[in-house]
Amino acid sequence: MTRHVAVLMGGSSSEREVSLNSGKACADALEGEGYRVTRIDVGPDVATVLAGLRPDVAFNALHGPDGEDGTIQGLLEILKIPYSHSGVLASALAMDKERAKVVMRAAGVDVPGGRVVNRMEAAREHVLPPPYVIKPVSEGSSMGVIIVRDGRSHPPQILASDEWRFGDQVLAEPYIAGRELTCGVMGDKPLGVIEVKAATEWYDYDAKYAPGGSIHVLPAELKPNVYQRVQELALTAHQALGCRGVSRADLRYDDTPGGTGALVVLEVNTQPGMTQTSLVPDMAAHAGLSFGELVRWMVEDASLNR
């Protein structure tokens, strides 16, 4: 009997367009693998829609709040619909960058320092010595991330503006120089390590999702012991946060001349992007898995009580 998969995409977060692209790519691939697929642009009536459809599996292609923070996961638990990716607690924990850092640090994973501050305070005066980074506590895809460069006399005034839409609490962290690395985990095994070289000044939203916005160097050109350590950190972080299915850890490696040599986990993404320019599909391909085989694995891995 053909399994019925509901692909959840879209939603109302600031990452809606990315989610729609991820969802379409995954739905197309699942149809190619022989599944019966229903595409759901998630709205306030999603519980009614899912209760009426009663799919065998929900493939979660949502990004950002509601889709990545435990909300949709809790609904799927109530409806008893097995789903992909991480469960309620791991999703909520990983989405809160500051609390996730506390858990990862306790597991022996190096994470950035810094603190949570009110955005108005961060707009009045430098809350850390420049250079430093300001980021929303619970957003993805580099949404709202600001790098305050060395020598900047004033903090970013956008934080005090009505245009700021990422919450009143922000996370301030010291800027870590060096290389942008990322490593996925699939089940209980780390995938390959990618070095991301952005075409823009840094790995921002456009670099992540625009064609040609970044170059993925896979495998990353690292010393074998450093490469292995990145994989170990990604797996440790995945397990410490209680993640399931596929996740992706983003790291910085300071190998600059005179640098600290630090290898630091910035965050863990429980809902990594699944577009044509995304990182996890590249890692899976490097491991010998086609995009169709990757999403098939994610559907077959789906469960409740994740």
Side-chain angles (χ1 to χ4, degrees):
M1 180 174 148
T2 302
R3 299 187 79 191
H4 181 197
V5 181
V7 177
L8 308 180
M9 63 179 92
S12 58
S13 83
S14 54
E15 298 177 71
R16 171 178 169 78
E17 291 304 316
V18 177
S19 174
L20 288 171
N21 290 336
S22 285
K24 181 183 184 306
C26 294
D28 290 348
L30 288 169
E31 286 175 339
E33 292 291 313
Y35 293 97
R36 181 163 71 93
V37 175
T38 300
R39 303 161 193 242
I40 300 176
D41 188 345
V42 171
D45 62 344
V46 64
T48 303
V49 171
L50 285 169
L53 279 175
R54 298 306 307 175
D56 299 306
V57 172
F59 188 101
N60 186 4
L62 292 164
H63 299 306
D66 293 344
E68 199 167 352
D69 61 3
T71 302
I72 196 72
Q73 292 82 1
L75 174 63
L76 293 166
E77 293 284 356
I78 291 169
L79 294 174
K80 305 300 182 189
I81 299 173
Y83 58 96
S84 63
H85 297 82
S86 293
V88 176
L89 178 58
S91 299
L93 184 56
M95 193 67 174
D96 188 313
K97 294 180 176 65
E98 181 62 14
R99 287 181 171 86
K101 282 165 57 176
V102 171
V103 172
M104 290 190 288
R105 187 183 291 116
V109 175
D110 285 340
V111 296
R115 60 193 179 100
V116 174
V117 297
N118 184 275
R119 68 182 176 101
M120 294 300 181
E121 177 187 351
R124 280 194 302 271
E125 58 186 11
H126 287 306
V127 291
L128 293 176
Y132 62 93
V133 180
I134 295 286
K135 60 179 71 170
V137 175
S138 299
E139 283 286 346
S141 295
S142 299
M143 288 288 197
V145 175
I146 304 167
I147 298 179
V148 181
R149 299 293 180 183
D150 198 12
R152 182 164 172 171
S153 57
H154 299 289
Q157 294 305 292
I158 185 67
L159 292 168
S161 167
D162 291 340
E163 295 176 16
W164 182 261
R165 61 184 193 279
F166 303 111
D168 288 335
Q169 300 298 107
V170 295
L171 180 59
E173 295 178 341
Y175 175 75
I176 300 167
R179 300 160 77 176
E180 186 91 22
L181 304 175
T182 187
C183 180
V185 175
M186 184 175 172
D188 59 357
K189 295 181 180 178
L191 296 170
V193 180
I194 289 178
E195 179 181 1
V196 180
K197 296 184 177 182
T200 51
E201 185 180 10
W202 61 285
Y203 194 46
D204 61 5
Y205 183 91
D206 288 337
K208 281 182 164 79
Y209 300 116
S214 62
I215 298 169
H216 299 172
V217 181
L218 175 62
E221 296 173 353
L222 302 166
K223 293 179 180 179
N225 63 314
V226 176
Y227 193 98
Q228 182 178 355
R229 181 58 179 158
V230 172
Q231 291 180 309
E232 290 171 353
L233 288 170
L235 181 59
T236 301
H238 175 98
Q239 293 173 335
L241 294 172
C243 298
R244 296 285 300 275
V246 170
S247 75
R248 195 194 78 234
D250 295 336
L251 307 92
R252 294 286 288 184
Y253 175 41
D254 184 1
D255 64 344
T256 58
T260 64
L263 189 56
V264 175
V265 174
L266 300 178
E267 63 179 303
V268 172
N269 300 279
T270 57
Q271 298 282 135
M274 296 286 285
T275 68
Q276 61 181 346
T277 59
S278 294
L279 295 155
V280 167
D282 275 3
M283 296 173 191
H286 181 68
L289 288 174
S290 69
F291 188 75
E293 289 169 331
L294 171 62
V295 293
R296 171 179 282 276
W297 182 90
M298 294 167 80
V299 165
E300 298 305 320
D301 176 69
S303 68
L304 291 164
N305 300 312
R306 296 175 73 79

